[in-house]
Amino acid sequence: MARLPIYHRVLSQITERGIVTVSSEELAAASGVSSAKLRKDLSFLGSYGTRGVGYDAAYLLYQIQRELGLTQDWPVVIVGVGNLGHALANYGGFANRGFRVVGLIDADPELIGETVTVGRDGEILKIQSLNDLEKIVNEVDALIGVIATPAAAAQDVCDRLVDCGVTSILNFAPVVLTTTLDVHVRKVDLATELQILAFHEQRRGDAHEVIV
Amino acid sequence: MARLPIYHRVLSQITERGIVTVSSEELAAASGVSSAKLRKDLSFLGSYGTRGVGYDAAYLLYQIQRELGLTQDWPVVIVGVGNLGHALANYGGFANRGFRVVGLIDADPELIGETVTVGRDGEILKIQSLNDLEKIVNEVDALIGVIATPAAAAQDVCDRLVDCGVTSILNFAPVVLTTTLDVHVRKVDLATELQILAFHEQRRGDAHEVIV
DNA sequence: CTCACTTTGTGCATACGTTCACAACTACCT
DNA sequence: AGGTAGTTGTGAACGTATGCACAAAGTGAG
């Protein structure tokens, strides 16, 4: 389920506040879903709650972590270190969620060799050349790749990543990537998100005009 | 529908290549969906195709633009001009898709006054103070706001934007925002996307172990 | 021990999105 | 004109996700 990460985050915050027991109502409210939906989602993992009481926050958190595969560390390679690539590399939310950025790759000779601090603990990483992509990926044994390149380069980078054994790709470039079926591709498109908002904005405006 | 922006992008590319007629098969393949799904999506807008021939690419593109509200220009305010905010401001895909970044707001005094080039045509914008948020939003009459702040500040910024009349919000901060029902909130969470990939990666690994 | 109260887990009904299959329509060739 | 190939639009079947409602199970007071 795609909502597990949300529950995971909410539970993290809750346990940090020292709360030990949480009901489905509370957890659902904090996650922005209905309590019935939440209970069904959690029952998918097993019966980790106790009736009349609620869920043990820490225990439930651990179970979700296990289900999400967050008990291990996933090495991640980022290709394309422009503004977005920088933002991703610096994003603090990765380190404590089972991800470690282990490779920064760009095609721009100007950028190669530049150092970037990744994560919040100040680890330093050098930007490496696109030519060495295969070598880098094999060295760090990355299964997850992030594409933050311009649209024109995305498909080529994708093919090369897949050739090196990468099986999960997060794509920020505004193109539809084609790969074999066994590769998981997720797309995040900034313009698309705004367009969806504009769509609703416009429908709102239309409805208004009818009323007025 | 959430797939309209994809069709829009694909159609843009197709018309730029001078292609005048396109069948549902072709368009579906380029968009990564099935042809039946695409036809149903398009029939939602009306009957803009001709049987036996296909769709007139330019005409269909215009109809989608109209439906998405892209025939007008939406002013957008970005709050939080860190790495991600910069990436968004520079993102070239907005300008030619009906969006204009008209406000950059940050809380950091160091950043205020700094100039940023937004879009690809080199328009220059000054970063303004969070204190002036209300004034700025009212001045440019923005209905769409982007939150790229740290998690701790997001809810406060959201409330203030809504108070100024913003009715659509794109949230990059890793928190669940609570607002009134009439405000459209979309969330893009980078860590969540990676977690979903890791989830599939792990299941893949589990299955493998069983076989081995 | 019993009773009143709380909360989970789940069977069932409903709504939604997707796929299938085909009638309706167009273009073109003979 | 008639027939064949190609393509859209859509009704019907299917599967999945959501919401409802309640039995099962736990807690605590008297």
Side-chain angles (χ1 to χ4, degrees):
Chain A
M1 291 284 181
R3 284 184 296 272
L4 247 42
I6 301 179
Y7 304 151
H8 175 258
R9 185 197 311 292
V10 172
L11 272 171
S12 297
Q13 294 165 355
I14 282 179
T15 51
E16 272 169 27
R17 265 187 281 150
I19 296 171
V20 57
T21 292
V22 64
S23 76
S24 64
E25 266 330 318
E26 296 164 335
L27 196 52
S31 306
V33 299
S34 76
S35 65
K37 204 190 294 194
L38 180 131
R39 285 204 299 278
K40 213 155 226 156
D41 287 347
L42 294 188
S43 75
F44 177 73
L45 307 184
S47 291
Y48 297 129
T50 43
R51 305 177 183 210
V53 180
Y55 298 90
D56 180 302
Y59 185 52
L60 183 58
L61 178 59
Y62 171 73
Q63 292 299 340
I64 292 180
Q65 277 180 343
R66 202 170 54 84
E67 185 72 16
L68 284 174
L70 267 45
T71 45
Q72 54 188 292
D73 239 36
W74 297 97
V76 174
V77 171
I78 298 178
V79 185
V81 196
N83 278 297
L84 183 56
H86 264 100
L88 291 168
N90 283 320
Y91 186 46
F94 291 157
N96 44 14
R97 284 206 172 72
F99 303 102
R100 214 172 61 247
V101 178
V102 294
L104 297 174
I105 301 176
D106 203 293
D108 185 353
E110 293 273 323
L111 287 176
I112 293 166
E114 189 180 306
T115 57
V116 177
T117 60
V118 320
R120 293 248 162 97
D121 45 351
E123 192 189 340
I124 288 178
L125 223 55
K126 264 206 180 101
I127 299 178
Q128 297 176 273
S129 166
L130 184 62
N131 298 327
D132 303 332
L133 184 144
E134 283 77 8
K135 202 187 66 181
I136 300 164
V137 172
N138 285 325
E139 228 161 59
V140 299
D141 230 10
L143 293 177
I144 300 179
V146 176
I147 298 180
T149 66
Q155 182 64 57
D156 182 51
V157 168
C158 172
D159 293 342
R160 289 175 64 185
L161 286 175
V162 171
D163 274 347
C164 305
V166 169
T167 45
S168 291
I169 289 179
L170 184 56
N171 176 34
F172 287 89
V175 286
V176 183
L177 295 178
T178 59
T179 64
T180 49
L181 276 316
D182 58 327
V183 178
H184 260 281
V185 178
R186 284 189 74 83
K187 197 178 127 200
V188 176
D189 190 332
L190 309 176
T192 294
E193 299 296 327
L194 273 187
Q195 284 180 12
I196 294 172
L197 287 180
F199 170 73
H200 292 301
E201 239 0 280
Q202 205 210 18
R203 287 183 81 86
R204 191 197 311 262
D206 288 353
H208 223 265
E209 278 166 29
V210 173
I211 296 168
V212 176
Chain B
M1 290 285 180
R3 285 184 295 270
L4 247 43
I6 301 180
Y7 304 151
H8 175 258
R9 185 198 311 291
V10 172
L11 272 172
S12 297
Q13 294 166 355
I14 283 178
T15 51
E16 273 170 25
R17 265 187 281 150
I19 297 172
V20 57
T21 292
V22 64
S23 77
S24 64
E25 284 296 344
E26 296 164 336
L27 197 51
S31 305
V33 300
S34 76
S35 65
K37 203 191 294 193
L38 180 130
R39 286 204 300 277
K40 208 151 230 153
D41 287 347
L42 293 188
S43 75
F44 177 74
L45 307 183
S47 290
Y48 296 129
T50 43
R51 306 179 181 210
V53 181
Y55 298 91
D56 180 303
Y59 185 51
L60 183 58
L61 178 60
Y62 171 73
Q63 291 298 341
I64 292 180
Q65 277 179 344
R66 202 171 54 82
E67 184 73 16
L68 284 175
L70 268 44
T71 47
Q72 56 187 293
D73 241 36
W74 296 99
V76 175
V77 171
I78 298 178
V79 185
V81 196
N83 277 298
L84 183 57
H86 263 99
L88 292 168
N90 282 321
Y91 185 47
F94 292 156
N96 43 14
R97 286 209 169 68
F99 302 102
R100 215 171 62 246
V101 178
V102 295
L104 297 174
I105 300 176
D106 203 294
D108 185 353
E110 292 274 322
L111 286 176
I112 294 167
E114 189 180 305
T115 58
V116 177
T117 60
V118 321
R120 293 250 162 94
D121 45 350
E123 194 190 337
I124 288 178
L125 223 54
K126 265 208 179 102
I127 299 179
Q128 296 176 276
S129 168
L130 184 63
N131 298 328
D132 302 333
L133 184 145
E134 283 77 7
K135 201 187 67 179
I136 299 164
V137 172
N138 286 325
E139 227 161 59
V140 298
D141 229 9
L143 293 176
I144 300 180
V146 176
I147 298 181
T149 66
Q155 183 63 57
D156 182 52
V157 169
C158 172
D159 293 342
R160 289 174 65 182
L161 286 174
V162 171
D163 275 347
C164 304
V166 169
T167 45
S168 291
I169 290 179
L170 184 55
N171 175 34
F172 288 89
V175 287
V176 183
L177 294 178
T178 60
T179 64
T180 49
L181 276 317
D182 58 326
V183 178
H184 260 282
V185 178
R186 283 189 74 83
K187 194 176 133 211
V188 176
D189 189 332
L190 309 175
T192 295
E193 298 296 329
L194 273 187
Q195 284 179 11
I196 294 171
L197 286 180
F199 170 73
H200 293 299
E201 251 341 295
Q202 205 211 16
R203 288 182 80 86
R204 193 197 308 262
D206 289 352
H208 224 264
E209 279 165 28
V210 173
I211 295 169
V212 177

